[in-house]
Amino acid sequence: MTCPDKPGQLINWFICSLCVPRVRKLWSSRRPRTRRNLLLGTACAIYLGFLVSQVGRASLQQGRAAEKGPHQSHDTAEAPFPEIPLDGTLAPPESQGNGTTLQLNVVYITLRSKRSKPANIRGTVKPKRRKKYAVASPALGQEALVGPSLQPQDGARAADAEVPGYVQGGNLAKAEERPWRLRGSGVHVAGSDFQRRKTQESNIRIYSESAPSWLSKEDILRMRLLADGAVAGLQLLSSKSGARLLVLEGSAAGSVPGCGPSPCGLLKQPLDMSEVFAFHLDRILGLNRTLPSVSRKSEFIQDGRPCPLILWDSSLSPTSNETHSSVKLTWGTYQQSLKQKCWQNGRVPKPEWGCTEIHHHEWSKLALFDFLLQIYNRLDTNCCGFRPRKEDACVQNGLRPKCDNQDSVALAHVIQRKHDPRHLVFIDNKGFFDRSEDNLNFKLLEGIKEFPESAVSVLKSQHLRQKLLQSLFLDKVYWESQGGRQGIEKLIDVIEQRAKILLTYINAHGAKVLPMNE
């Protein structure tokens, strides 16, 4: 007889050693069978019967295991244990010496990480399933970047005229500052090139099946390129604004200085962050005149602070160094051209009308856009239509007193494309949200008798706030830099109030609302 080695077996043998002699003595002796002795004897008999049943069940299980043979034991030993960590925190069931497995009464629980959800934004499509879009790689080549803005332009390198924030190849080579050294773990230096920084998720977040309808596929592709593209170089431009040219990966060898065939972005100061807001507002209003713009931050840029990054467009026409415009216009000639309605309805203007190549409807779009953002550096460079602050450019440059003869004041930042001189390109779109209602610049609307129907309909539809929230939420860095939804709502409050004032102005002056989708 083997000695029991389990606590339960020890208890059973101890009870049996006490019960068996007592039962035998009770039934064999001549002592009176008292009530107490009968109860003890009955209890011991019941317990002995329970032990006999357990022994019979165990012998039956051992017989079945012996019939199945070693094949079953082999499968049992190699069967996988689902939901068990691989770090050894839970061991597999014990294996007996006869080939059987002692199954433990254990329930394994798997903890699943909670899925992150987007902010609850009114008008944002609820994410039924979250698609992880791959980051657009600049190495896709120029075939993926459809449009003239990323195509090489031979004339861009030949022209030395400087655009504000945009310089051609000649000026870029003349920049006395050395290229900035990139530091930090985000970009690694390897010779003259920089390796792609590894990003798990794009900074342009889209949780629905498709992007908002006012943003084209090219817009989303270029926004992802600007927000997530690896940096191949950084060059300080010879401009007063302190802008830098950020060359993104994917360009051909030797094309980095000229930035002709390679995708590039114009990196501005953190104070120019309203450029990103202006881009989304332009797309929502259906104007489509601004260049794609995102907010980006890196360890080597402004100490990690977010900065606006605007797509470089090498197809822009050369500009004058004085007015930074591709068209020479003064306030007087501009007002005269508005009266002639140049190029409207396909009518060719006469030479004596003083028209430019720009279509008449372009000025209506520009005036509406500049009024909502209170941009004065195009149509009112001397700040004659409002009370400027000390930090405004017109006061810093001493242009404020020159408002007596406004007809001779030149317009600035009026830009066209070389292949499309009929339409304007809105650049340098730094807006001002702190301008009070009693100090709005109504001079921007002077001479404008028609307004674009697409933009006015959005302003009247009461959906401007919803669309701006949905659109600005895509840019993760910009959204967080403005304090999240609470900060974005304050900016939208200003635009909505100015939209009401603009609609009142249109009704009071009897201005026409026309479709301008030529």
Side-chain angles (χ1 to χ4, degrees):
M1 179 181 295
T2 59
C3 181
D5 56 351
K6 298 295 177 84
Q9 295 180 7
L10 289 174
I11 294 174
N12 291 337
W13 283 108
F14 179 74
I15 295 176
C16 289
S17 63
L18 294 178
C19 290
V20 173
R22 191 173 186 84
V23 172
R24 185 184 304 169
K25 183 178 180 181
L26 286 174
W27 292 100
S28 62
S29 66
R30 296 180 180 180
R31 296 179 61 182
R33 296 186 177 94
T34 62
R35 193 173 188 179
R36 176 183 175 185
N37 293 334
L38 289 175
L39 291 176
L40 289 176
T42 305
C44 289
I46 294 174
Y47 189 77
L48 289 174
F50 173 75
L51 290 178
V52 171
S53 64
Q54 291 294 326
V55 171
R57 183 180 302 176
S59 62
L60 181 61
Q61 291 180 355
Q62 292 179 3
R64 291 179 180 177
E67 292 176 0
K68 292 183 179 180
H71 178 70
Q72 177 66 23
S73 64
H74 178 75
D75 293 343
T76 305
E78 292 186 357
F81 298 94
E83 308 296 338
I84 296 179
L86 300 179
D87 54 1
T89 55
L90 289 179
E94 283 188 44
S95 181
Q96 299 292 333
N98 55 4
T100 61
T101 302
L102 179 60
Q103 299 292 339
L104 301 179
N105 188 16
V106 180
V107 179
Y108 298 105
I109 301 176
T110 301
L111 299 179
R112 295 184 178 179
S113 59
K114 185 178 180 182
R115 188 186 71 170
S116 59
K117 295 182 179 180
N120 184 16
I121 302 176
R122 181 169 67 251
T124 302
V125 180
K126 294 182 179 180
K128 294 183 179 178
R129 68 171 184 262
R130 178 174 176 177
K131 279 189 175 182
K132 289 192 175 181
Y133 289 81
V135 177
S137 174
L140 294 176
Q142 299 303 320
E143 295 80 2
L145 302 173
V146 182
S149 60
L150 295 179
Q151 297 298 329
Q153 300 292 334
D154 296 334
R157 298 192 185 96
D160 284 337
E162 179 183 352
V163 182
Y166 293 83
V167 296
Q168 308 296 342
N171 284 346
L172 183 61
K174 297 176 184 177
E176 298 179 357
E177 299 288 342
R178 294 188 305 171
W180 283 48
R181 286 187 61 188
L182 306 187
R183 62 180 183 274
S185 59
V187 180
H188 304 281
V189 179
S192 59
D193 298 327
F194 302 103
Q195 297 177 356
R196 175 182 305 278
R197 63 188 182 101
K198 298 179 181 179
T199 56
Q200 296 181 352
E201 192 173 348
S202 173
N203 287 322
I204 304 301
R205 47 189 179 183
I206 301 177
Y207 295 126
S208 57
E209 292 293 334
S210 60
S213 58
W214 49 86
L215 293 174
S216 64
K217 293 182 180 180
E218 288 76 14
D219 288 335
I220 297 297
L221 179 63
R222 292 165 182 174
M223 288 170 64
R224 289 189 184 277
L225 175 67
L226 293 173
D228 307 316
V231 179
L234 182 66
Q235 179 70 48
L236 181 64
L237 304 183
S238 56
S239 61
K240 298 179 181 179
S241 62
R244 301 173 183 88
L245 185 64
L246 200 67
V247 183
L248 302 176
E249 228 176 49
S251 58
S255 62
V256 173
C259 201
S262 61
C264 301
L266 190 70
L267 190 68
K268 291 195 172 184
Q269 301 293 332
L271 295 177
D272 300 328
M273 194 66 73
S274 56
E275 294 260 9
V276 180
F277 190 100
F279 162 69
H280 289 273
L281 179 63
D282 165 74
R283 293 300 193 265
I284 291 173
L285 296 178
L287 304 178
N288 300 321
R289 292 294 179 268
T290 62
L291 301 174
S293 177
V294 301
S295 182
R296 180 163 179 163
K297 59 181 179 180
S298 299
E299 297 83 0
F300 56 89
I301 302 172
Q302 292 291 333
D303 298 329
R305 288 186 295 169
C307 300
L309 183 62
I310 306 163
L311 184 69
W312 172 281
D313 192 341
S314 59
S315 67
L316 297 180
S317 300
T319 62
S320 169
N321 289 330
E322 297 179 358
T323 61
H324 305 296
S325 299
S326 58
V327 177
K328 187 176 181 180
L329 273 177
T330 62
W331 178 259
T333 55
Y334 163 67
Q335 290 294 321
Q336 183 65 27
S337 65
L338 291 179
K339 297 178 181 178
Q340 301 297 336
K341 299 182 178 180
C342 304
W343 304 102
Q344 189 173 4
N345 298 325
R347 183 178 57 175
V348 179
K350 298 180 179 179
E352 59 269 18
W353 289 358
C355 292
T356 62
E357 295 180 314
I358 301 173
H359 195 280
H360 175 69
H361 289 166
E362 294 298 297
W363 301 113
S364 300
K365 298 177 181 179
L366 178 64
L368 180 143
F369 184 74
D370 283 3
F371 180 82
L372 292 177
L373 294 172
Q374 286 297 293
I375 301 173
Y376 63 87
N377 61 356
R378 278 189 278 258
L379 301 177
D380 189 15
T381 55
N382 289 6
C383 305
C384 299
F386 66 102
R387 300 185 302 274
R389 303 169 302 176
K390 294 181 180 180
E391 55 268 23
D392 286 329
C394 56
V395 177
Q396 295 289 335
N397 299 329
L399 302 177
R400 173 65 176 171
K402 301 180 181 180
C403 291
D404 297 335
N405 187 13
Q406 298 186 28
D407 289 343
S408 61
V409 177
L411 304 186
H413 304 101
V414 180
I415 307 293
Q416 311 156 283
R417 286 190 173 93
K418 301 172 186 176
H419 64 279
D420 188 14
R422 293 283 184 271
H423 301 96
L424 292 173
V425 179
F426 301 166
I427 65 169
D428 287 341
N429 302 314
K430 181 182 179 181
F432 297 89
F433 294 91
D434 55 352
R435 192 83 48 82
S436 59
E437 296 181 13
D438 59 347
N439 193 29
L440 295 180
N441 191 355
F442 283 93
K443 184 184 178 183
L444 304 174
L445 304 176
E446 189 172 334
I448 303 298
K449 304 299 181 183
E450 300 104 4
F451 288 91
E453 183 182 27
S454 62
V456 175
S457 62
V458 173
L459 300 180
K460 289 182 178 180
S461 64
Q462 305 297 323
H463 295 311
L464 179 62
R465 176 180 297 271
Q466 171 185 337
K467 292 183 176 182
L468 280 172
L469 283 173
Q470 186 176 353
S471 189
L472 292 171
F473 180 77
L474 301 181
D475 195 328
K476 179 181 178 181
V477 177
Y478 179 80
W479 182 271
E480 295 175 352
S481 68
Q482 301 302 313
R485 177 166 182 166
Q486 184 178 2
I488 298 293
E489 292 268 15
K490 294 180 180 179
L491 301 180
I492 299 177
D493 289 340
V494 176
I495 299 300
E496 279 192 336
Q497 187 60 30
R498 292 176 183 175
K500 294 178 181 178
I501 296 174
L502 178 61
L503 294 176
T504 304
Y505 177 90
I506 293 174
N507 294 331
H509 289 77
K512 297 179 181 180
V513 178
L514 304 175
M516 300 181 181
N517 297 325
E518 76 286 342

